[in-house]
Structure formats: structure tokens, C-alpha cells
């Protein structure tokens, strides 16, 4: 089995920011990294779930809604994935995400949190979601990172490669 692309990113020095995770078949997967993996606490599940509802709502109602394919959390709970069609850069996504986060900070409730509309409607935490959004917003404004550090992987036969 090949090492899949996102596992060749060096997570030990990954900073919060927005990265192009992969581009395939006209789709760009953006890595919206919210916390430093393994060095800061990951986003709590309930806060991440609320962020998913809010971020998906904003992006799917924005001027780029036609190009939004998917918005969802990473299993490691350190960030979100957004998949877009069309030509968007990390800087484009930074500008959009800043507006999205500003909108979230003004919300008084999480959309679609009824048993009919959500698979785990009690698992929400808007105050903690806003706390994470405020910190991420500050980072996107003042210490933006968008270049991955690739991990060199040593194969069983001693060959070394760095994914590009
Ligand atoms: Zn839900």
C-alpha cells in the first residue's frame, strides 16, 4: 500500500493556517488547520461539530456556494476540509474563511440542530466553537501559514523519497 498524500505532510511542525492538501480532477481540497497537531489540544468534538454546521452554512450561502463541494471536519479534530471546484488559492480561501469566522462570532445559535436535521443533535457547543473561531481568526489575520513541510519517508528497502 502506498502512503497516502496527506500522511506525507510533516505534522510535527504543521502550523495553523490554510493549505492546499491536494488537487485532483478539477477539485481542490483545502486543509483549514485550526490547531497545531499534537502540540495544542485538538478542537473538542462538540465544538468541531458546531463549526461544521456553521462553516458549511456560511460557505453554502456565500457568493462561492456554486463551487463548494464539501465542508467537513478532520478525524484528528485539528482542522476542517473544504473541497472546491474552480481555481481557488490558499489566499482566496483565507479571505473567505476570515469572513466566515467573523460571521460565526456573531451567531447566537447553531443551525440545524434538531433531531430531524442532525445525526447527533445534542453534541454541540457554540461558546467553545466561537472560542476556537476567535483564535483561528486571529491567526489567519496575523500569522498566516500556507506552505506544507513535506516529510521524507524512508522505505523498507532503504530508499528515501519526499512526496511532492
Ligand atoms: Zn450535525
Amino acid at each position: 500500500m502506498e502512503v497516502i498524500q496527506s500522511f506525507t505532510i510533516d505534522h510535527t511542525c504543521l502550523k495553523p493556517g490554510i493549505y492546499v492538501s491536494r488537487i485532483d480532477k478539477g477539485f481542490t481540497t483545502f486543509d483549514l488547520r485550526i490547531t497545531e497537531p499534537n502540540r495544542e489540544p485538538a478542537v473538542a468534538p462538540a465544538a468541531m461539530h458546531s463549526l461544521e454546521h456553521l462553516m458549511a452554512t456560511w460557505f453554502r450561502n456565500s457568493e462561492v456556494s456554486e463551487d463548494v463541494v464539501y465542508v467537513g471536519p478532520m478525524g484528528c479534530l485539528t482542522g476542517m476540509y473544504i473541497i472546491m471546484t474552480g481555481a481557488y488559492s490558499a489566499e482566496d480561501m483565507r479571505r473567505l474563511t476570515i469572513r466566515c469566522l467573523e460571521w460565526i462570532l456573531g451567531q447566537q445559535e447553531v443551525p440545524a440542530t434538531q433531531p430531524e436535521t442532525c445525526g447527533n443533535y445534542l453534541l454541540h457547543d457554540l461558546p467553545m466553537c466561537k472560542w476556537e473561531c476567535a483564535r483561528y481568526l486571529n491567526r489567519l489575520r496575523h500569522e498566516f501559514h500556507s506552505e506544507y513541510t513535506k516529510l521524507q519517508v524512508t522505505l523498507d528497502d532503504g530508499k528515501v523519497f519526499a512526496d511532492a
Side-chain angles (χ1 to χ4, degrees), residues 41-141:
V43 180
M48 187 61 106
H49 188 193
S50 297
L51 181 60
E52 178 195 26
H53 279 231
L54 287 157
M55 194 169 266
T57 298
W58 189 86
F59 271 88
R60 292 191 183 285
N61 286 278
S62 72
E63 73 273 18
V64 299
S65 61
E66 300 270 294
D67 296 331
V68 177
V69 177
Y70 172 79
V71 178
M74 296 177 186
C76 60
L77 300 174
T78 67
M80 300 281 293
Y81 284 120
I82 297 186
I83 302 176
M84 304 287 288
T85 59
Y88 290 92
S89 65
E91 183 59 39
D92 295 331
M93 294 305 287
R94 176 197 197 183
R95 283 193 288 268
L96 289 163
T97 303
I98 284 173
R99 285 172 47 210
C100 171
L101 296 172
E102 288 169 343
W103 175 79
I104 290 173
L105 291 177
Q107 297 308 297
Q108 301 305 317
E109 60 184 47
V110 180
T113 52
Q114 295 78 40
E116 295 82 5
T117 55
C118 177
N120 196 349
Y121 76 103
L122 295 176
L123 186 74
H124 284 283
D125 185 344
L126 181 59
M128 197 62 211
C129 173
K130 286 186 177 181
W131 188 90
E132 295 284 0
C133 287
R135 186 173 66 163
Y136 189 40
L137 181 59
N138 192 49
R139 287 171 155 174
L140 291 184
R141 282 177 174 153

